[in-house]
Amino acid sequence: ITQAAVDTAGGQYVINNPGTYSLAEDIVAAGAGSPQSIILINTSDVTLNMCGKRILAIPGNTTSGIVVAPNLRSVTIENGNIEAVQTVG
């Protein structure tokens, strides 16, 4: 997952298919008015390897870092940091 992929998706990268995903770089949320989360996981059986990278928001942003939809199973988020976001979902 790259910053360009997040930006192209309107500021929120949505994971709708099971599998393993990796951050290629730090991901920074845009300014005020950003989506509810930077990454939204909508399916079970997902591993998000942050590869030592960060998900962060610039000051004044009210977005969450990662939101996992309810009632999912086998979702793993590993090897990274979520910083300066309003909430961590």
Side-chain angles (χ1 to χ4, degrees):
I1 301 171
T2 63
Q3 182 73 56
V6 172
D7 293 344
T8 299
Q12 182 182 61
Y13 189 89
V14 180
I15 297 175
N16 287 317
N17 296 306
T20 300
Y21 297 80
S22 300
L23 291 188
E25 59 191 340
D26 289 348
I27 306 294
V28 181
S34 294
Q36 181 181 355
S37 64
I38 299 168
I39 296 177
L40 172 61
I41 300 175
N42 265 343
T43 189
S44 296
D45 303 313
V46 167
T47 297
L48 175 58
N49 186 344
M50 296 178 66
C51 300
K53 308 296 190 245
R54 302 177 301 158
I55 293 176
L56 59 145
I58 58 173
N61 189 294
T62 58
T63 193
S64 297
I66 300 171
V67 171
V68 178
N71 302 315
L72 300 181
R73 65 185 193 301
S74 299
V75 173
T76 302
I77 301 165
E78 59 189 10
N79 301 323
N81 292 311
I82 300 171
E83 304 173 11
V85 294
Q86 185 69 20
T87 58
V88 178

